[in-house]
């Protein structure tokens, strides 16, 4: 059984779309239980008379972090915030994963605060269904000010994630304004040097089109500002070209538990899809495998 | 008559695709003359026996700036570089515009060096055919390290460009990771404040999807790194979704002459399209109008 702590109040269409998503998920995932974390009267009202298969139950949380709040400060001020209670359930072994379609920053802060982290700088990873195969893009928005050291950590995390997903020796590329070495701003030049010396398969610079087309790299590393804007630009361009919706499910990598963050505009099917992604990460012990791969890669300490 | 100085050696498919583009352009634009700036033996060989309508002629330039060269340094070292000779023709009144599908940085440096600039920080502007109407995105790659002051200048330039193009009181948005004020990194927070106090119609933050979908802003301001990556991501996503090629013609704004920069992968039709864009900018006296609009917007100097 996989127990998913679902943020009842996250996203533009919460709580209704969240509950509908939970109902869809338990139908399609027979081993999943959903804990609806939020005001229990709201949860009770929305599931009243519905067939929950006995695998959906409310867990009380009385506060909500808004999209316009500074995440860390809001979380400290709201110990009973839905996303914080959800993370606490994972820490206490009462749930296996957190799913939220609310603030990414709040989910990140809640996970770090309660479950700890595997690396100094966790990242939000999204998988883009590129033409030549899936591309892991990170950071898609967990960090707003980045250093070359952060980009190096993103590379290690993304590589471990891709490897845990079955890609052996994943190719890691640095998102830049040109393919040639030496391109880009100071951050990219420093990150290029750091990634060149890292225990991963660095294939050099890749460009914006390589994210949606694939073929050059399995993992594309960038700062959280650029990653967020690029992801949304790809979503917009795909919609513009009539390509339908792109899955925009993000996985927080580098925290001490599974946490899936969906788009704020998520509808019921999107919430259900986030729950499926979270359940799969739990079944495959993604966090444990990433920790193992990262641990095995640590450079030996000189004696 | 509009005389376009065309960089014969710029782009992956030069010089053949460049000459074919010139041949297409003079057929479709009866008032356009093309000066093929490059080694005259190469130009002569490629136009030999072709119908140039008498409106294509070679102009000698013996050096080329490569895509992997540091632009300013390369230009200083190569006074006879194609793009520099082309810019000099504009300065000397022998041509009305420069078109190049070579290095953007080299074109920018050549224009600044020879024709001067209207603002401290010129920008590369591209027009995205968004769902709700055209969106001017800038900077798409002229500058690699940006300050809030640069972003403010991009806003003023982009607004003047959109106004010169017939949009009255263009809406200017700042590309950011969320719509709410206060979002983003330090650069965005400072740029938000600078744009809020500027003589333009600032509509606040916009997100990645707004670039391809439009509707929120007529002009989207960002730094040259993000703009370049976002533009290419939109191109890639459009191709991925089967939406065909996007026009990727960039106009250098803020320099003392018309300069159109095409994609390095440009084929003949793309080169012809760049020539058309340049010719139109000349007919409409775009540089003069932008200078006038910017001049009218200058805050009065306290006496």
């Amino acid at each position: 059984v996989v127990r998913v702590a679902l943020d009842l109040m996250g996203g533009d269409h919460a709580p209704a779309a969240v509950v509908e998503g939970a109902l869809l998920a338990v139908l399609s995932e027979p081993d999943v239980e959903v804990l609806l974390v939020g005001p229990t009267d709201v949860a009770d009202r929305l599931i009243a008379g519905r067939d929950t298969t006995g695998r959906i139950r409310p867990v009380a949380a009385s506060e909500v972090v808004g999209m316009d709040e500074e995440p860390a400060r809001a979380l400290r001020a709201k110990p009973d915030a839905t996303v914080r209670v959800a993370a606490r359930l994972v820490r206490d072994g009462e749930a296996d994963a957190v799913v939220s379609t609310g603030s990414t920053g709040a989910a990140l802060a809640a996970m770090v605060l309660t479950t700890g982290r595997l690396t100094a700088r966790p990242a939000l990873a999204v998988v883009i269904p590129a033409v030549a195969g899936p591309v892991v893009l990170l950071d898609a928005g967990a960090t707003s000010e980045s250093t070359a050291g952060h980009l190096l950590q993103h590379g290690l995390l993304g590589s471990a994630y891709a490897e845990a997903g079955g890609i052996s020796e994943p190719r890691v590329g640095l998102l830049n304004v040109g393919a040639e070495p030496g391109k880009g701003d100071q951050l990219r030049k420093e990150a290029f040097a750091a990634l060149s010396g890292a225990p991963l398969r660095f294939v050099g610079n890749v460009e914006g089109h390589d994210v949606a087309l694939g073929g050059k790299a399995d993992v594309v590393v960038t700062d959280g500002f650029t990653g967020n804007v690029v992801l949304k630009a790809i979503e917009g361009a795909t919609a513009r070209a009539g390509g339908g919706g792109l899955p925009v499910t993000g996985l927080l990598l580098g925290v001490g538990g599974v946490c899936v963050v969906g788009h704020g505009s998520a509808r019921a099917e999107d919430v259900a899809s986030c729950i499926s992604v979270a359940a799969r990460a739990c079944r495959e012990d993604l966090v444990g495998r990433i920790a193992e791969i990262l641990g095995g890669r640590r450079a030996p300490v000189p004696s």
Side-chain angles (χ1 to χ4, degrees), chain A:
Chain A
V1 171
V2 177
R3 299 155 304 169
V4 173
L6 180 61
D7 178 357
L8 179 63
M9 305 307 285
D12 305 341
H13 308 295
V18 173
V19 170
E20 294 300 324
L23 288 161
L24 286 176
V26 293
L27 284 181
S28 67
E29 307 271 355
D31 66 339
V32 165
E33 286 180 10
V34 177
L35 310 178
L36 286 176
V37 184
T40 46
D41 57 327
V42 173
D44 285 338
R45 179 170 49 80
L46 286 165
I47 58 177
R50 307 295 298 268
D51 179 13
T52 64
T53 73
R55 287 184 279 121
I56 300 181
R57 62 184 172 86
V59 172
S62 62
E63 295 175 299
V64 175
V65 178
M67 295 301 279
D68 53 349
E69 292 189 77
E70 202 283 301
R73 192 182 314 155
L75 269 200
R76 276 194 301 272
K78 297 177 177 175
D80 206 39
T82 51
V83 72
R84 187 162 173 190
V85 172
R88 216 183 282 141
L89 291 169
V90 170
R91 181 197 64 191
D92 297 343
E94 292 170 40
D96 302 296
V98 171
V99 168
S100 174
T101 48
S103 157
T104 301
L108 170 66
M111 291 302 286
V112 168
L113 203 64
T114 55
T115 71
R117 46 185 140 194
L118 307 179
T119 56
R121 189 60 60 155
L124 183 67
V126 291
V127 180
I128 308 282
V131 174
V135 170
V136 178
L137 174 71
L138 79 170
D139 174 23
T143 297
S144 67
E145 304 282 351
S146 292
T147 67
H150 299 157
L151 268 57
L152 168 62
Q153 289 180 46
H154 298 341
L156 291 165
L157 270 180
S159 179
Y161 176 42
E163 192 179 325
I167 299 172
S168 72
E169 298 189 46
R171 297 162 300 167
V172 177
L174 175 65
L175 189 58
N176 209 328
V177 294
E180 304 85 357
K183 285 276 176 183
D185 54 12
Q186 192 59 29
L187 175 61
R188 274 13 97 157
K189 289 174 186 168
E190 290 174 18
F192 190 99
L195 287 162
S196 297
L200 48 76
R201 185 175 163 201
F202 183 51
V203 296
N205 292 327
V206 298
E207 298 179 78
H209 43 257
D210 298 317
V211 179
L213 298 177
K216 294 272 183 70
D218 306 299
V219 177
V220 173
V221 172
T222 192
D223 64 282
F225 182 87
T226 306
N228 182 279
V229 167
V230 161
L231 172 64
K232 290 176 182 166
I234 290 174
E235 286 172 26
T238 303
R240 174 188 169 281
L246 263 187
V248 287
T249 303
L251 199 57
L252 280 179
L253 298 182
V255 292
V258 172
C259 179
V260 170
V261 178
H263 203 287
S265 66
R267 301 279 180 178
E269 313 81 65
D270 307 310
V271 173
S273 158
C274 289
I275 293 171
S276 295
V277 169
R280 194 176 147 195
C282 293
R283 288 183 206 111
E284 297 173 350
D285 184 24
L286 183 71
V287 173
R289 295 194 59 192
I290 289 178
E292 200 179 330
I293 294 167
L294 287 178
R297 288 245 177 89
R298 275 202 190 109
V301 180
S303 56

